[in-house]
Amino acid sequence: MTTYGYFLSSEEFTPAELLSQARAAEQAGFEALAISDHFHPWNDEQGQSSFVWSMIGALSQVCSLPITTLVTCPTVRIHPAVNAHAAATAAVLTEGRFRFGLGTGEALNEHIFGDAWPEASQRMEMLEEAMQVMRRLFTGEQTTHRGTHYTVQNARLYTLPAKPPPLYVSGFGPQAAALAGRIGDGFVTMSPDAELVAQFRRAGGGQKPVVGGLKVCWGTDRTQAVKTAYRLWPNEQLPGELAQVLPTPAHFEQAAGLVTEAMVADAVVCGDDRESHLRAVRQFTDAGFDEVYVNQIGPEQGGFFDFYRTDILPRLKDSATSRLSAGAANGDDREGRRPPQGTTGR
């Protein structure tokens, strides 16, 4: 069964607003939470960037949903050993409901110490070594590591969960999908691309979870919702590798000149048309995703959660149950997907 979760945007909302959204998400019937990990917002209009580990600690105390970072770069801004320390404590606080989403990062967040921003191939090497370091530390044994990119000396984690948090690897192309299949406990990608899912599974991903997400802008006035999405998140429509290499919010604001309001209207579900929202989410389930996270852009949070509680989530879950029943009748168990680790199926 597909898990439907809510995506907390650390770039757009204050810590108090994120906690309120987490409570509302659980009450609305969302089954899990994802949260972004950023040092900067993408642009000044978004205006926030709380520290993700503080937020996860707070979230663990206000709701019982699983929590996944989408995603953390564990290679430059924070050393892998410190990331392992933070992730282990997060897993303890959430009683095993924490999953560590990882990626190769963006210059926007990782350049802040003035280091050169590596090319993509080197960033993937760094990610793989960082994951090796973290997995060794999750054993609770004293760890010394001298590698190509990282050194760890006599480090040991004492506060550990019963099981290490799974490490999900993010990627947006075939090479990254193959890397995720080889080294990850799951795969994260933000496009409903069935071929990327297949690439991950062929490269060793097997039946490991595939996680995705999308932004919507619910509102009763679609024209106004489009304007809100365009004002806050034009960066979502930037082409190529700009999102990985631009270093500051000001650069993203300049590049956003390439994006038009019409492009946002075509790409982002805006308004309150039920079928449009259902179709956007089902694109991910139809592409073979196991977990789908939805983020609401802008201030209309109350209306969004009411809409998804009454009109969207029940229909998504009913259609998933129908597919599961049909698959079982045909001897196909593809829809019998695992729930998020640390939870029971719903």
Side-chain angles (χ1 to χ4, degrees), residues 5-11 32-38 42 52-53 56 67-73 98-103 106 109 167-172 186-190 210-215 233 289 291-295:
Y6 186 71
F7 200 147
L8 298 165
S9 173
S10 299
E11 304 94 324
L33 296 174
I35 186 167
S36 55
D37 180 359
H38 267 236
W42 297 97
V52 74
W53 299 112
I56 290 170
I67 303 169
T68 305
T69 55
L70 293 184
V71 293
T72 294
C73 176
F98 174 71
R99 290 83 54 78
F100 202 5
L102 302 167
E106 304 95 9
N109 302 302
L167 307 182
Y168 294 176
V169 175
S170 173
F172 300 97
F187 178 43
V188 177
T189 190
M190 294 297 142
V210 176
V211 179
L214 70 157
K215 290 185 178 296
W233 288 92
F289 283 67
E291 303 175 34
V292 185
Y293 293 86
V294 183
N295 172 251

Side-chain angles (χ1 to χ4, degrees), residues 34-335:
I35 186 167
S36 55
D37 180 359
H38 267 236
F39 191 89
H40 293 131
W42 297 97
N43 56 55
D44 283 353
E45 191 69 32
Q46 293 168 7
Q48 297 290 326
S49 63
S50 50
F51 188 49
V52 74
W53 299 112
S54 300
M55 287 307 311
I56 290 170
L59 289 166
S60 73
Q61 303 303 299
V62 302
C63 72
S64 62
L65 298 180
I67 303 169
T68 305
T69 55
L70 293 184
V71 293
T72 294
C73 176
T75 59
V76 178
R77 173 168 39 108
I78 300 178
H79 191 282
V82 180
N83 274 295
H85 192 187
T89 299
V92 171
L93 283 169
T94 57
E95 299 179 334
R97 299 188 306 274
F98 174 71
R99 290 83 54 78
F100 202 5
L102 302 167
T104 58
E106 304 95 9
L108 175 70
N109 302 302
E110 308 305 322
H111 82 285
I112 59 172
F113 299 126
D115 299 314
W117 182 235
E119 293 186 358
S121 59
Q122 183 177 340
R123 299 203 306 271
M124 284 191 275
E125 289 178 7
M126 295 170 72
L127 177 62
E128 183 169 1
E129 186 177 335
M131 290 173 63
Q132 293 170 357
V133 168
M134 291 189 291
R135 283 181 167 137
R136 288 182 62 185
L137 286 165
F138 289 151
T139 67
E141 298 176 356
Q142 183 169 289
T143 297
T144 294
H145 171 90
R146 293 183 177 86
T148 303
H149 302 287
Y150 304 106
T151 298
V152 178
Q153 185 170 336
N154 302 332
R156 180 184 173 189
L157 297 182
Y158 282 81
T159 298
L160 288 166
K163 293 182 179 179
L167 307 182
Y168 294 176
V169 175
S170 173
F172 300 97
Q175 187 176 1
L179 178 69
R182 181 167 61 83
I183 67 174
D185 300 316
F187 178 43
V188 177
T189 190
M190 294 297 142
S191 174
D193 188 329
E195 180 51 39
L196 274 186
V197 174
Q199 178 73 33
F200 165 73
R201 301 206 183 282
R202 287 195 300 267
Q207 294 301 306
K208 296 174 183 177
V210 176
V211 179
L214 70 157
K215 290 185 178 296
V216 303
C217 190
W218 179 90
T220 56
D221 182 337
R222 183 177 185 274
T223 299
Q224 184 56 52
V226 169
K227 291 183 181 299
T228 298
Y230 178 63
R231 174 173 61 85
L232 289 167
W233 288 92
N235 56 284
E236 288 279 297
Q237 312 311 319
L238 289 176
E241 296 183 44
L242 288 177
Q244 281 72 52
V245 300
L246 295 179
T248 69
H251 287 98
F252 278 92
E253 289 165 4
Q254 294 166 11
L258 300 171
V259 179
T260 66
E261 191 172 303
M263 291 167 63
V264 172
D266 287 342
V268 180
V269 175
C270 295
D272 60 355
D273 179 69
R274 184 177 69 195
E275 293 306 314
S276 296
H277 284 263
L278 288 169
R279 186 164 52 249
V281 177
R282 284 172 177 158
Q283 286 182 335
F284 287 85
T285 56
D286 291 346
F289 283 67
D290 301 285
E291 303 175 34
V292 185
Y293 293 86
V294 183
N295 172 251
Q296 162 69 1
I297 296 170
E300 299 288 347
Q301 297 293 318
F304 165 84
F305 283 116
D306 286 344
F307 178 66
Y308 267 69
R309 176 178 55 82
T310 59
D311 283 12
I312 303 300
L313 292 175
R315 287 172 172 81
L316 291 172
K317 293 172 185 178
D318 285 348
S319 62
T321 300
S322 297
R323 287 198 302 272
L324 178 59
S325 299
N330 294 321
D332 179 7
D333 192 38
R334 177 68 190 94
E335 278 293 332

